[in-house]
Amino acid sequence: PTPVVFSNPQTIQLRSASTVIGTIVAPRSIQLKTETVGTVKAIHFQSGDIVNPGQVLVELDTSVEQATLASAKAAERIAESTYRRIKKAMEVQALSELDLDQTEAQLAQAKAEVARIEAIIRRKILVAPFRAQAGVFDIQPGQYLSEGSQITMLQGIDDFVFVDFMMPQQVADYLQVGHQISLEHLGQIIEAQVVALDSQADRVTRSLGARAKVINPPATLQVNDSVKVIAEYGQPQPTVLIPSSALRTNPTGAYCFVAQIDPKDTAKWIAKRREVIVGATVGNNVSIRQGIDPKEQIIADGSFKIYDGTWIVPSELTKAAP
């Protein structure tokens, strides 16, 4: 006979679960790009730095714009002085209202020109919009940058992150905002809460997009990491738990072996193969939805060396088990 380890299956209530792959998403993340062409004048941060809102990061050369601005401000001062004189002359009716309107329009044009040039200068000074960590970049002072050149990535620093994932149709029917899900990352189980569901399912896969929020994520959970998302759904159903070591697989599916009395010799045990439908994994055990009677004894260890009908005996490990 072949010695094997026997085990009694456990019966517990479990909800159905679905496992998919999700992607970690930062709450705030932008690509820092130039709005206009220019030459880099100064860089005020380093790769990987923590930057604060309003902090100047990159300055492009604005010497031409500064000179144009000085000329525009001079024209504004002349227009404003002319407007005051015309207005005083109007008080004694020395000039017509047309002269006043023309002077007022010229002053407005001068102010608009100053505002336009100041806006161009602001576009050449890149500031941090929120508290973030800067990514790696490779630009140098004196480098010419075209419009839309990417400088670096800014990832917001918050006490939470999002995980985006797609759920199959049978799970999406149960999933609601506020439901709890679990994430598996580097052997850790992290709790998350569903905060948003897509407005419609994907036309091809019939899956529904969802977003969950993870409060105080571990430092190892980086943006764009992939994580295993486990979502339970439906009502708890009775299921049988067997050791993971008892489960075998082949191209046709999963199976395990149970111990039965040999009908030809009641003093002997023989192994009988059972085709099973596997459910969720619970620690070192696996749930079996169909194929196992809870009253049967499972061959928990040693199933790799037996086949259907093998003469078996309990090993010393079975006898030593509590």
Side-chain angles (χ1 to χ4, degrees):
T2 303
V4 294
V5 177
F6 288 9
S7 176
N8 294 320
Q10 307 174 44
T11 302
I12 63 171
Q13 298 280 334
L14 280 181
R15 298 176 66 194
S16 298
S18 179
T19 302
V20 297
I21 300 300
T23 302
I24 300 300
V25 179
R28 295 180 294 180
S29 175
I30 64 167
Q31 291 184 348
L32 188 65
K33 294 184 177 182
T34 57
E35 293 186 65
T36 183
V37 299
T39 303
V40 178
K41 178 182 178 182
I43 303 171
H44 300 285
F45 74 111
Q46 299 292 331
S47 297
D49 279 357
I50 304 299
V51 297
N52 295 307
Q55 178 180 338
V56 176
L57 303 180
V58 178
E59 289 184 74
L60 301 182
D61 182 57
T62 58
S63 56
V64 175
E65 288 78 7
Q66 292 291 352
T68 306
L69 178 62
S71 176
K73 286 185 175 180
E76 180 187 12
R77 288 194 297 270
I78 293 175
E80 189 171 0
S81 176
T82 303
Y83 174 73
R84 288 198 300 267
R85 290 196 300 270
I86 295 296
K87 191 174 182 180
K88 288 183 179 179
M90 278 294 299
E91 293 176 358
V92 295
Q93 296 182 352
L95 295 172
S96 65
E97 292 185 1
L98 179 60
D99 294 328
L100 178 62
D101 292 342
Q102 290 177 344
T103 307
E104 188 175 3
Q106 292 172 357
L107 176 60
Q109 289 176 350
K111 289 183 177 181
E113 180 64 12
V114 170
R116 185 185 70 84
I117 298 173
E118 288 177 341
I120 293 175
I121 294 175
R122 286 196 299 269
R123 292 174 65 187
K124 290 194 171 186
I125 301 176
L126 283 69
V127 300
F130 47 79
R131 180 173 170 81
Q133 182 176 13
V136 177
F137 66 92
D138 187 20
I139 61 171
Q140 305 297 331
Q143 181 177 349
Y144 175 80
L145 298 178
S146 59
E147 182 178 348
S149 298
Q150 180 172 338
I151 296 176
T152 188
M153 287 291 299
L154 294 180
Q155 300 288 355
I157 298 177
D158 298 281
D159 59 355
F160 65 94
V161 294
F162 294 126
V163 54
D164 290 351
F165 57 97
M166 300 291 290
M167 273 297 170
Q169 182 176 353
Q170 69 272 16
V171 182
D173 292 340
Y174 293 94
L175 200 64
Q176 299 292 332
V177 173
H179 283 187
Q180 295 291 324
I181 62 171
S182 300
L183 310 180
E184 186 176 327
H185 176 67
L186 298 179
Q188 295 180 328
I189 300 298
I190 306 170
E191 296 299 321
Q193 186 180 45
V194 178
V195 295
L197 298 175
D198 205 346
S199 58
Q200 60 182 0
D202 186 88
R203 183 182 293 272
V204 178
T205 64
R206 310 301 179 187
S207 298
L208 183 70
R211 170 170 288 185
K213 186 176 183 180
V214 184
I215 303 295
N216 297 323
T220 55
L221 203 61
Q222 300 292 330
V223 175
N224 293 331
D225 275 353
S226 61
V227 293
K228 186 184 294 184
V229 179
I230 305 170
E232 296 184 345
Y233 61 96
Q235 296 298 321
Q237 301 292 333
T239 186
V240 176
L241 283 185
I242 66 172
S244 299
S245 57
L247 190 66
R248 316 296 298 177
T249 58
N250 62 16
T252 63
Y255 65 94
C256 64
F257 289 98
V258 299
Q260 285 189 349
I261 299 294
D262 188 349
K264 298 179 182 179
D265 186 351
T266 56
K268 294 182 178 180
W269 291 89
I270 61 172
K272 297 298 293 182
R273 177 168 164 164
R274 291 280 189 272
E275 305 292 335
V276 296
I277 298 178
V278 182
T281 300
V282 183
N284 294 325
N285 298 322
V286 62
S287 64
I288 304 298
R289 296 181 179 178
Q290 186 177 339
I292 293 295
D293 189 332
K295 297 179 181 179
E296 294 180 310
Q297 290 207 80
I298 303 297
I299 298 176
D301 198 6
S303 60
F304 64 92
K305 55 186 176 181
I306 61 176
Y307 54 89
D308 195 27
T310 300
W311 179 17
I312 57 175
V313 293
S315 71
E316 293 299 323
L317 293 176
T318 300
K319 298 176 183 177

